[in-house]
Amino acid sequence: MGFAPDWLSLRAPADRAARDAGLLARALALGPEQIVDLGAGTGATLRAMKAAQPLRARWTLVDNDPALLALAPRLEGRVTCIQADLTDLGALPLHGASLVTASALLDLVSDAWLGGLVARLAEHGLPFYAALSYDGAMSWTPPDPADADVTHAFNADQRSDKGFGPALGPDGATRAARLFQAAGYTVELAQSPWVLGPQDRALQAELLDGIAAAATRAGYSGSPAWLAARHAALGHAQALIGHIDLLAVPPEAPERKAHG
Ligand SMILES: C[S@@+](CC[C@H](N)C(=O)[O-])C[C@H]1O[C@@H](n2cnc3c(N)ncnc32)[C@H](O)[C@@H]1O
């Protein structure tokens, strides 16, 4: 699966449908004028926020993959793309920001990196909206006896290093919630599962391949049989892949208006 443009565009409709509308609306209601999107890819968060409400905000999209950033919308000059490595927290372009966002990112990062991010955002009094963090829950209809073992192995692989140190995987969003709360933020979480049916056959097929490969990497030997059975059921199977959206809002602090 990785971060290939084809994969990001294949998953985009499911992401759009899954995002929690209430949390998205509350993030927009903060009235951000300058939004910094971390791990922006091709601009999924920008598209989702723009589709929910016409915004005059300026955007800074940060990603280390210039090929993905090249596919992001430009909004008539209101979008700046920055190719940068997010692991350098000190270099995050927070100057002038009023909201920081991310999607499908918190499951990739380590506890140490997340702690550092929360400290930086708290230092600047910045709200954070992070959608679509995988939460470890997967289920299929019809069920297969190997589903639980595959999910267990996949989740173990999700905790391997994705460039930020050992990844939080399914704990990313809930860990972020605890860290922001400890920093005095008000935090809201919402479930945002992918609910996939036979009409999502291409996404389901690609997803199954990625899940089986990850489970094999984690040492599970039954992936090929599970994958064959799941592919055979694609014409009628449903899948539920759990995600969590998070909105963290700092306490009112007028003196924090100037972000450095
Ligand atoms: C799962 S994709 C999500 C992309 C986009 N936010 C979306 O929802 O479609 C994760 C993104 O994080 C970026 N990324 C991963 N590690 C990174 C790093 N160390 N520095 C900058 N970007 C990184 C990838 O290039 C990719 O675009």
Side-chain angles (χ1 to χ4, degrees):
M1 297 185 280
F3 312 130
D6 288 352
W7 167 246
L8 294 185
S9 78
L10 186 59
R11 61 174 285 171
D15 280 344
R16 267 198 300 279
R19 259 178 210 269
D20 182 79
L23 238 54
L24 177 59
R26 284 197 278 294
L28 286 163
L30 296 170
E33 292 176 355
Q34 172 69 48
I35 303 172
V36 178
D37 190 35
L38 306 179
T42 59
T45 300
L46 183 163
R47 285 192 183 84
M49 296 187 91
K50 186 170 161 285
Q53 180 183 305
L55 264 182
R56 291 308 300 169
R58 285 168 286 112
W59 287 80
T60 302
L61 308 184
V62 187
D63 205 287
N64 62 359
D65 186 337
L68 296 180
L69 290 173
L71 299 172
R74 289 300 188 263
L75 302 185
E76 294 153 0
R78 285 185 289 118
V79 176
T80 303
C81 291
I82 297 185
Q83 185 192 344
D85 187 342
L86 293 176
T87 59
D88 185 358
L89 279 166
L92 291 185
L94 300 181
H95 181 75
S98 40
L99 172 67
V100 177
T101 60
S103 59
L105 183 73
L106 295 185
D107 38 42
L108 303 177
V109 306
S110 65
D111 198 41
W113 185 88
L114 189 58
L117 177 72
V118 172
R120 280 225 68 194
L121 300 189
E123 183 189 333
H124 297 294
L126 282 167
F128 185 57
Y129 166 61
L132 298 159
S133 307
Y134 172 64
D135 74 356
M138 298 196 287
S139 62
W140 287 268
T141 311
D144 182 285
D147 287 346
D149 287 343
V150 169
T151 301
H152 183 75
F154 177 75
N155 288 346
D157 183 73
Q158 287 284 295
R159 295 178 195 282
S160 62
D161 191 337
K162 308 289 190 302
F164 295 82
L168 286 161
D171 298 328
T174 50
R175 179 68 180 141
R178 280 196 292 279
L179 289 168
F180 277 111
Q181 279 162 346
Y185 279 60
T186 301
V187 177
E188 286 182 86
L189 296 175
Q191 304 286 331
S192 53
W194 283 355
V195 183
L196 308 178
Q199 71 280 7
D200 306 301
R201 189 185 183 111
L203 175 57
Q204 283 214 55
E206 185 95 7
L207 183 63
L208 291 172
D209 292 349
I211 290 169
T216 300
R217 275 198 302 276
Y220 178 63
S221 60
S223 291
W226 177 84
L227 185 61
R230 281 264 152 255
H231 268 283
L234 271 175
H236 58 280
Q238 300 210 317
L240 200 135
I241 312 293
H243 296 99
I244 297 178
D245 293 358
L246 168 145
L247 179 64
V249 179
E252 282 297 327
E255 69 276 11
R256 287 174 170 160
K257 287 284 183 243
H259 308 306

